[in-house]
Amino acid sequence: AVVSTQSTGGASTMVMLSLYCMLLRISGRDQYGKIKNKLNYKYGAPIFLLFLYHAYNLGFYQKIDYGYNMKFNVFIGIIHHCILLGWGLWNWNYRPHVKKAVLVILGSMFALLLELGDFPPYYGLFDAHSLWHAATVPLTFIWWSFIVDDCVFETNYYKRKVV
């Protein structure tokens, strides 16, 4: 029961934190490239309250509702992906590295189909969940490459702007 609680809670925490970080990343910055402090509360407080509501509904003191948890995480993940996809397409020509983020978004949406469309193991080896894990491995490397490229781009952009 403890491991299940940690697993479902950890997945929800990751999904909600990804949404929060993405909103901070794509939203307003001051002339020096720093995220405006008000945005921390503007996005952070509602997301944190939503997480607390979700944790309460999961029933940490009762039996965990895995169906509810899956629907919630998929819903928040789709919101995250749609916003990030819109940002990526908006910046497609301006930031060349954004193509990596769009590739990861589309790849993870495809991988989500494996997670949602569960099927029995083929030859007793590969089921939908194992293929989902396998599909997400290369996406992490592409995502990390995007993050590094984005940090370099932002640093260079704001160095030019301040100087």
Side-chain angles (χ1 to χ4, degrees):
V2 173
V3 173
S4 294
T5 302
Q6 290 173 342
S7 176
T8 55
S12 300
T13 302
M14 187 192 71
V15 170
M16 299 292 283
L17 197 56
S18 294
L19 177 64
Y20 174 67
C21 290
M22 182 267 312
L23 289 171
L24 288 180
R25 168 62 194 91
I26 68 172
S27 57
R29 297 172 177 269
D30 64 15
Q31 69 270 23
Y32 304 108
K34 296 189 180 190
I35 295 173
K36 297 175 183 174
N37 286 336
K38 290 181 181 179
L39 293 175
N40 291 329
Y41 303 112
K42 181 180 172 183
Y43 297 132
I47 290 174
F48 182 68
L49 291 173
L50 183 61
F51 175 75
L52 289 177
Y53 178 75
H54 173 62
Y56 175 77
N57 281 338
L58 261 181
F60 281 122
Y61 304 107
Q62 305 164 10
K63 185 176 169 132
I64 295 173
D65 185 353
Y66 294 102
Y68 164 74
N69 186 55
M70 177 66 88
K71 290 173 190 171
F72 178 85
N73 286 330
V74 167
F75 177 72
I76 297 297
I78 288 173
I79 291 172
H80 171 271
H81 277 36
C82 288
I83 294 171
L84 192 56
L85 184 62
W87 178 81
L89 294 175
W90 182 265
N91 289 286
W92 186 265
N93 293 323
Y94 177 62
R95 301 169 185 263
H97 60 281
V98 166
K99 293 171 180 68
K100 294 177 186 178
V102 171
L103 176 64
V104 170
I105 292 164
L106 297 176
S108 62
M109 286 182 168
F110 172 74
L112 179 65
L113 295 175
L114 292 170
E115 179 70 5
L116 297 177
D118 196 20
F119 54 81
Y122 287 115
Y123 305 108
L125 296 173
F126 304 108
D127 66 347
H129 190 74
S130 68
L131 292 176
W132 172 75
H133 279 289
T136 59
V137 170
L139 296 177
T140 59
F141 293 103
I142 300 168
W143 183 249
W144 179 255
S145 176
F146 160 73
I147 291 171
V148 170
D149 291 348
D150 195 48
C151 288
V152 169
F153 181 89
E154 288 290 304
T155 302
N156 291 335
Y157 175 79
Y158 285 105
K159 275 184 182 177
R160 285 190 307 264
K161 194 170 184 179
V162 171
V163 173

